[in-house]
Amino acid sequence: TAAAGELLETLESSGGYVPAYEIAKARFALGQHERAMASLERAYAERSHSLVFLRVDPQLTAVRDAPDFAALADRVLK
């Protein structure tokens, strides 16, 4: 878990493009809900096409009922 967190930090600080949607999924897997939501908000601001999968991506099943996640999904999928 620590190594995965360090890898995410390195990726995000690299200055290169890193898909915010994918970072969010990794952060959720690490139990970093607030940071994951921040990444999803960044994906929303970037108009990431991946957001159309919010309600069906199996990697997001565990957080789908969280109020902040549901609110974002509602904004995206209206």
Side-chain angles (χ1 to χ4, degrees):
T1 302
E6 290 175 23
L7 177 59
L8 285 174
E9 295 298 329
T10 301
L11 284 171
E12 288 185 301
S13 65
S14 71
Y17 174 72
V18 181
Y21 181 80
E22 299 302 328
I23 292 294
K25 291 194 302 182
R27 294 244 179 247
F28 280 128
L30 291 172
Q32 300 173 352
H33 185 91
E34 289 181 20
R35 292 188 75 183
M37 286 305 302
S39 291
L40 285 181
E41 289 292 345
R42 189 169 69 250
Y44 181 79
E46 294 172 353
R47 300 178 185 264
S48 171
H49 71 281
S50 297
L51 292 173
V52 299
F53 300 110
L54 284 174
R55 291 198 175 129
V56 296
D57 189 327
Q59 293 175 312
L60 299 172
T61 300
V63 297
R64 205 160 278 132
D65 291 332
D68 53 353
F69 184 91
L72 175 64
D74 287 345
R75 277 190 287 149
V76 170
L77 303 169
K78 280 187 177 183

